[in-house]
Amino acid sequence: MADIILATLNARYAHCAFGLRYLFANLGDLQPRARLLEFDINQRPLDVAENILGNNPRILGLGLHVWNASQTLILVRLLKQLRPALIVILGGPEISHETDQQEISRLADHIIPGEADLAFAQLCRQLLSLSALPSHTPVHSLALSPTPPPDLATLALPYDFYTDDDIAHRVIYAEASRGCPYECEFCLSALDETVRQFPLDRFLAAMQRLLDRGCRQFKFVDRTFNLDLKTSAAILQFFLDRYRPGLFLHFEMVPDRLPESLRVLIQDFPPISLQFEVGIQTFNEEVAQRIGRRQDNAKAEQNLRWLRAHSGVHLHADLIVGLPGESLDSFATGFDRLVAMEPHEIQVGILKRLRGAPIARHTAQWRMIYDPQPPYEILQNRDLDFAVIQRLRRFARYWDLIANSGRFVETAPLIWKNSSPFREFLAFSDWLSTETGSTHGIALPRLARLLEKYLREKKEFSGSVTHSQASGPRARQVRHSGPDDK
Ligand code: SF4
């Protein structure tokens, strides 16, 4: 039993709800009256509702994200039918923008837009002090309007609320800063006004406690880890000094910023103990400028090549399909340029119109049509029709299975040997789609047989294709995971 339940539907079990742990950590004297419950989007809403109501809460705080918006709506509908008096408070990026346009807003009692670390506790205190809790007061009646983001120095840190089970089996998130100074219009971080740092000594003390408890794998969610070079160097040095086999650190980096001070440290880490997620998104400078993305492509290329040649960093690079003005030819050129830099993984993401993201201003001019259902992916635009975007969606999935998986390291490049990786892999993707009629549920041995068949029929290949066991970051379930609404 708990007066306050903090809950969310994670994308999968391995993802810990980082934001909820902040809310829990900052409840102060209300903490003994609260409980944190985590579910995932594959669980039946009926079962989730049963679990929540079994705790007989008076207040339920739910975290809404692009990956759980549909399921959370179903859940809140159920809960409000079963227990109308339950006070439902919503927070998270998905409900922080275009709030009034969302059905779930009409079902909820309160909404806290923006960073709710302190505001949630404040609202709970206010509600619990009322003699009788109001049932379904209109939205915003007691909600806090967007307040300035909290001073990070005043926040209780969430790291001690990772359980031993979390440390053993799940992705452990960390952040040394919040905010981003860049203004890429597809990204919600473009709305941030400043970058704020957590006090480094407190942060590192918390990291030390996690290390002491056996934690070895950390995913940093700082938007641009290498922005404040002094802090990023201090954090890298901290972990380097405490290096133990199995240590694995994931960082999101801006690609055109890798000075000597960081290079020296990076080189000292053993292979595969660092993973950098590097957002390239587009190499087309006109498109980049149109969406407010500032990036020195030549420098980014130089840095990626240096990392591959001189460090053991596992490199994960992102490109986006569907940006306004990016034609198929332009995307192909960028993809081929990136392949030549040999990152270990290339994630081809389909553009999303996240609620609140400034990219919406291009909708009319570039005839951008987005799926109205989360995650609001682009379906068509002026340069890429629906059929082409569908082809690229399959391309992205098959690239993930064949090239990113690390299971066909030797064989995959035979698909595009001496030719354009994009064009050749697109042809393979079209062929594979015709053969299988699916992008999911293809067992690995069958995938290997299909790859061999393609290479024999189309590439005069006479060997046999076997798949290797994936190892490294992918096996650790760290990549593409997390409280990330980009
Ligand atoms: S895409 Fe990256 S660099 Fe651009 S605004 Fe978002 S977090 Fe910042």
Side-chain angles (χ1 to χ4, degrees):
M1 300 295 158
D3 284 335
I4 303 166
I5 292 289
L6 277 162
T8 196
L9 306 173
N10 296 316
R12 60 177 81 156
Y13 165 77
H15 300 179
C16 287
F18 193 37
L20 286 195
R21 282 170 176 74
Y22 268 107
L23 266 52
F24 189 81
N26 285 282
L27 277 173
D29 57 343
L30 293 180
Q31 216 177 71
R33 298 171 69 179
R35 213 173 148 200
L36 199 150
L37 296 178
E38 289 181 86
F39 306 95
D40 70 61
I41 53 174
N42 298 312
Q43 289 179 258
R44 294 192 321 159
L46 277 178
D47 297 332
V48 176
E50 182 185 7
N51 193 326
I52 290 171
L53 294 179
N55 283 275
N56 203 22
R58 301 167 76 189
I59 297 173
L60 171 66
L62 281 172
L64 236 83
H65 300 266
V66 69
W67 64 78
N68 67 17
S70 308
Q71 295 86 340
T72 308
L73 170 61
I74 297 170
L75 174 66
V76 173
R77 253 198 228 123
L78 270 174
L79 289 168
K80 277 297 186 181
Q81 276 177 302
L82 289 164
R83 193 77 54 86
L86 176 67
I87 301 290
V88 174
I89 305 175
L90 301 178
E94 177 71 4
I95 199 68
S96 294
H97 307 278
E98 303 175 7
T99 309
D100 296 341
Q101 297 168 32
Q102 301 185 52
E103 186 189 342
I104 198 167
S105 302
R106 291 185 279 283
L107 298 169
D109 298 274
H110 304 284
I111 289 162
I112 304 179
E115 295 178 34
D117 313 80
L118 300 175
F120 180 74
Q122 200 181 327
L123 180 55
C124 287
R125 209 161 277 125
Q126 207 175 339
L127 287 167
L128 291 170
S129 68
L130 300 175
S131 48
L133 288 181
S135 67
H136 200 71
T137 46
V139 166
H140 297 309
S141 66
L142 284 173
L144 308 177
S145 52
T147 47
D151 174 1
L152 300 185
T154 65
L155 290 190
L157 298 181
Y159 303 101
D160 295 341
F161 297 101
Y162 285 121
T163 64
D164 291 344
D165 194 53
D166 294 336
I167 289 173
H169 303 293
R170 305 176 77 194
V171 179
I172 299 300
Y173 298 105
E175 63 177 353
S177 65
R178 284 186 188 172
C180 180
Y182 297 95
E183 293 174 344
C184 315
E185 291 180 357
F186 55 82
C187 174
L188 283 181
S189 296
L191 305 175
D192 296 338
E193 280 175 13
T194 53
V195 179
R196 294 164 293 141
Q197 301 283 342
F198 283 89
L200 190 59
D201 48 351
R202 277 181 66 216
F203 174 75
L204 291 180
M207 295 299 100
Q208 184 63 59
R209 288 196 296 281
L210 282 175
L211 284 170
D212 293 343
R213 292 173 63 200
C215 185
R216 293 290 175 267
Q217 297 181 15
F218 297 79
K219 178 170 182 173
F220 279 72
V221 297
D222 301 59
R223 291 324 202 176
T224 46
F225 178 72
N226 52 340
L227 186 74
D228 180 331
L229 295 175
K230 212 170 138 209
T231 304
S232 40
I235 291 170
L236 287 174
Q237 189 67 61
F238 171 88
F239 282 104
L240 192 56
D241 292 343
R242 291 156 182 79
Y243 177 81
R244 294 274 180 287
L247 181 72
F248 179 79
L249 307 168
H250 172 111
F251 299 108
E252 290 184 28
M253 309 282 271
V254 281
D256 51 8
R257 190 171 167 80
L258 201 64
E260 192 57 26
S261 56
L262 285 191
R263 289 184 179 201
V264 171
L265 279 166
I266 288 165
Q267 273 184 306
D268 284 344
F269 276 86
I272 317 291
S273 52
L274 293 181
Q275 173 165 270
F276 291 171
E277 184 172 338
V278 178
I280 297 293
Q281 319 307 7
T282 178
F283 278 118
N284 183 321
E285 291 183 5
E286 208 180 305
V287 173
Q289 196 178 15
R290 181 169 301 123
I291 57 160
R293 187 168 173 84
R294 286 178 277 137
Q295 177 171 288
D296 182 333
N297 285 336
K299 224 175 216 169
E301 179 163 355
Q302 208 182 57
N303 289 338
L304 260 62
R305 288 187 186 280
W306 182 89
L307 284 165
R308 280 300 269 133
H310 302 287
S311 80
V313 170
H314 188 272
L315 266 182
H316 168 99
D318 299 326
L319 285 176
I320 296 181
V321 163
L323 291 170
E326 179 106 276
S327 65
L328 192 64
D329 283 345
S330 163
F331 185 82
T333 304
F335 186 87
D336 289 351
R337 184 171 173 184
L338 188 54
V339 171
M341 295 172 212
E342 300 183 331
H344 300 86
E345 297 178 17
I346 298 177
Q347 185 187 355
V348 175
I350 308 295
L351 177 67
K352 302 180 186 77
R353 192 199 74 81
L354 297 175
R355 291 185 185 276
I359 192 110
R361 75 186 181 95
H362 298 293
T363 297
Q365 187 184 353
W366 295 91
R367 298 202 291 274
M368 317 284 277
I369 299 176
Y370 296 93
D371 190 336
Q373 298 304 316
Y376 318 116
E377 286 182 346
I378 187 107
L379 299 173
Q380 178 169 307
N381 67 22
R382 206 166 85 177
D383 292 281
L384 305 175
D385 66 20
F386 179 56
V388 170
I389 290 202
Q390 285 292 88
R391 281 176 80 197
L392 292 173
R393 209 184 290 281
R394 289 190 288 273
F395 176 104
R397 170 69 184 152
Y398 292 141
W399 182 266
D400 222 22
L401 290 177
I402 300 281
N404 288 344
S405 65
R407 297 186 189 270
F408 302 100
V409 175
E410 306 292 329
T411 323
L414 299 178
I415 298 170
W416 60 85
K417 200 174 165 195
N418 302 328
S419 191
S420 155
F422 177 81
R423 299 283 171 202
E424 294 295 331
F425 198 86
L426 186 61
F428 168 70
S429 167
D430 291 343
W431 178 88
L432 193 56
S433 170
T434 306
E435 287 281 316
T436 63
S438 171
T439 52
H440 288 80
I442 308 171
L444 201 52
R446 183 174 173 224
L447 191 61
R449 281 197 303 277
L450 285 163
L451 179 55
E452 184 175 311
K453 183 179 175 197
Y454 181 82
L455 291 172
R456 282 175 183 271
E457 285 178 10
K458 313 277 183 190
K459 301 287 168 186
E460 297 170 357
F461 174 74
S462 57
S464 60
V465 173
T466 52
H467 61 83
S468 58
Q469 292 302 316
S471 62
R474 174 170 278 267
R476 297 182 176 102
Q477 295 184 296
V478 172
R479 67 182 275 282
H480 310 333
S481 57
D484 172 334
D485 287 59
K486 273 199 283 190

